[in-house]
Amino acid sequence: MNVEIAPVDEHTGPARHFRIRLSATARGARLARHLTAEQLTSWGWPYDSEGNRTASLLVAELAANAVRHGQVRGRDFALRLTLYAEDATLRIEVTDARPDHSPPLPGTLTPADPDTESGRGLLLVESLSTHWGTTAGDPYTKTVWCEVPLG
C-alpha cells in the first residue's frame, strides 16, 4: 500500500524511537546512514544483518534526496526512526525544509535513463520498502517516509 498520507493505525504495541537533526550537507546524509546502522545494532539488528543493510540504504537514499532537493540555506533535515517491535517493522522518516519540492507519487516513478548518474533513489525506496509516501505536517517542511520489515 503506497499512499500520500502515512498509515498510522497499522502498528500496535510498543515502539522505539530515534530522532536527530543533521546538517543538510553530504556529510549530514552520510552521518544519517551511519547513525541508522548504529541505532539498529543497539536495537538488536547487527551491522551485517539484511535488515540493517536495507534500512541503512533507504536512509542513505532519503537523506541524499533531502540534501539535494530539500535543502534551504541555514536549515537542517531531520531523521526519525520508529521501530515497531511487535512485527519488527522500521519506519524511516526524513524531513526537509522544501515542502514545495515533493517527489513523484508512489507508483508513478519511471526508470531513469541508463546514461544518467541519478534518478534511481526513489525506485530503490519503492522496491525495498512495503510502504512509502510523503506528508506535509506544516507549511515549512515535508517528510518522505517508508517502512521496511527488519525480520
Side-chain angles (χ1 to χ4, degrees):
M1 170 175 82
N2 293 329
V3 293
E4 276 189 80
I5 299 175
V8 291
D9 295 329
E10 290 186 15
H11 301 285
T12 59
R16 295 179 177 176
H17 302 278
F18 173 81
R19 182 176 171 95
I20 191 167
R21 296 186 70 78
L22 298 162
S23 65
T25 62
R27 184 175 185 215
R30 207 169 35 252
L31 185 56
R33 179 175 52 88
H34 290 297
L35 290 171
T36 297
E38 181 63 33
Q39 188 62 50
L40 288 175
T41 297
S42 74
W43 285 342
W45 280 269
Y47 288 108
D48 61 347
S49 68
E50 186 174 339
N52 191 313
R53 288 191 304 264
T54 300
S56 296
L57 174 63
L58 293 173
V59 166
E61 293 299 336
L62 294 179
N65 283 352
V67 168
R68 184 172 189 165
H69 305 291
Q71 183 183 45
V72 171
R73 186 179 176 102
R75 303 267 313 268
D76 296 335
F77 74 93
L79 167 66
R80 180 183 173 119
L81 306 174
T82 303
L83 175 63
Y84 299 99
E86 187 171 291
D87 59 359
T89 297
L90 180 70
R91 182 180 173 95
I92 300 164
E93 299 177 10
V94 176
T95 302
D96 66 47
R98 295 296 299 266
D100 56 327
H101 284 82
S102 292
L105 295 174
T108 66
L109 299 173
T110 57
D113 187 328
D115 297 332
T116 62
E117 292 184 18
S118 63
R120 294 168 186 82
L122 285 177
L123 288 169
L124 280 171
V125 171
E126 188 163 74
S127 66
L128 295 175
S129 64
T130 56
H131 306 84
W132 80 277
T134 61
T135 58
D138 60 50
Y140 309 105
T141 63
K142 79 164 171 305
T143 299
V144 181
W145 59 271
C146 67
E147 292 187 357
V148 62
L150 295 176

